[in-house]
Amino acid sequence: LGGGTPSLFSPEAIARLLAGIRQRIALAPNAEVTLEANPGTVDTERFRGFRAAGVNRLSIGIQSFDDDKLKALGRIHGRAEALRAAEAAHAAGFDNFNLDLMFGLPGQALEQALADVRIAIEQQPTHLSVYQLTIEPNTLFHAKPPVLPDDDATWDMQQALQALLATNGYRQYEVSAYAQLGRECRHNLNYWQFGDYLGIGAGAHGKITTGNNITRRWKLKRPEDYLSKAGTPMAIGGEQRLTHADVIAEFMLNALRLTNGFPTALFTERTGLALDAVEASLRHAEQRDFIARNATAIRPTEQGRRFLNNLIELFI
């Protein structure tokens, strides 16, 4: 449940939603049910309500524990609210939750980035997502770019925080994802392994495989447009049937983000194509020491993870 801020919904509304889903779909008994939460919108009682409704995992958008950095990012919460949100998760009985952090923030020094990670570890989350801040088009930061640490400084931050997380039992299993053993995020793994998923709600995207055809479909983006047509085919904003080239590019874009890569059989299972379709690119990647492979698996090397964009470009 997310993005946006679904924690603004009442626990009763989330309970109604999950009950409606269970009436229509047979969920696995141990299904992961994650709700994204903004630290400025939650408290212990609200989290308890979400837990009672059937939510069993939280993802809390902390970003930083530094008030100045949060202000620079335009966040509505501060350090105190971030700490309270983690405390509330424990108090409400959540034994599985993620904290989102960013590094490479405006004016951030190495020790400040490490301090954020240390504080996050002290909250005892089972999972941490740690992203480098990037400036995207059509954002305020793109129009008025802040002064960010240079590439060498952010590389130093990345190496240092990865070492700190590893020392504290958080294994990096994807580019920006770190988890305690067995606590990897299941829905993200599904995306990275090129699985199918339904997108429900305004602007939501889905991916469906039918035979050898893979289709991406998205719902109307504007909430008022979506609400007026929800439950009818008119709620679909558009769809795209993926070509073989699309399928190869998207599979590799996702699967090579994983530290352990993917079983070779998964490529055919998820794309409907023989591995021969990418053999020339795989050989090129091997020659550049971007991947290691054997008869059963393909994974990015340390060099491949460091230059992941260059590796993925070989398949696009």
Side-chain angles (χ1 to χ4, degrees), residues 161-295:
L161 66 87
Q162 286 173 338
L164 178 60
L165 287 163
T167 300
N168 284 274
Y170 294 90
R171 184 184 74 88
Q172 183 182 18
Y173 69 99
E174 188 269 344
V175 170
S176 304
Y178 304 79
Q180 295 174 350
L181 186 63
R183 296 295 198 165
E184 296 83 2
C185 178
R186 291 189 216 163
H187 77 265
N188 278 343
L189 279 173
N190 181 54
Y191 304 145
W192 294 323
Q193 293 169 345
F194 206 51
D196 283 356
Y197 50 93
L198 296 173
I200 301 170
H205 283 240
K207 170 184 171 286
I208 299 295
T209 302
T210 310
N212 288 327
N213 294 319
I214 298 176
T215 302
R216 290 202 174 277
R217 181 176 291 160
W218 52 94
K219 301 297 175 61
L220 294 172
K221 188 172 183 179
R222 288 168 56 88
E224 55 268 41
D225 294 340
Y226 174 77
L227 284 170
S228 68
K229 298 177 175 64
T232 76
M234 297 297 291
I236 297 171
E239 66 178 34
Q240 174 193 10
R241 179 76 58 84
L242 300 188
T243 66
H244 284 181
D246 293 332
V247 168
I248 289 170
E250 290 197 19
F251 180 92
M252 291 301 185
L253 174 69
N254 284 285
L256 289 174
R257 292 177 65 92
L258 293 166
T259 303
N260 288 342
F262 59 93
T264 51
L266 188 70
F267 178 82
T268 298
E269 177 187 329
R270 294 289 161 87
T271 67
L273 303 173
L275 197 63
D276 290 347
V278 291
E279 180 58 34
S281 296
L282 289 172
R283 282 202 303 268
H284 193 178
E286 276 186 302
Q287 291 165 3
R288 297 180 68 177
D289 189 29
F290 283 170
I291 62 167
R293 61 170 169 163
N294 54 34

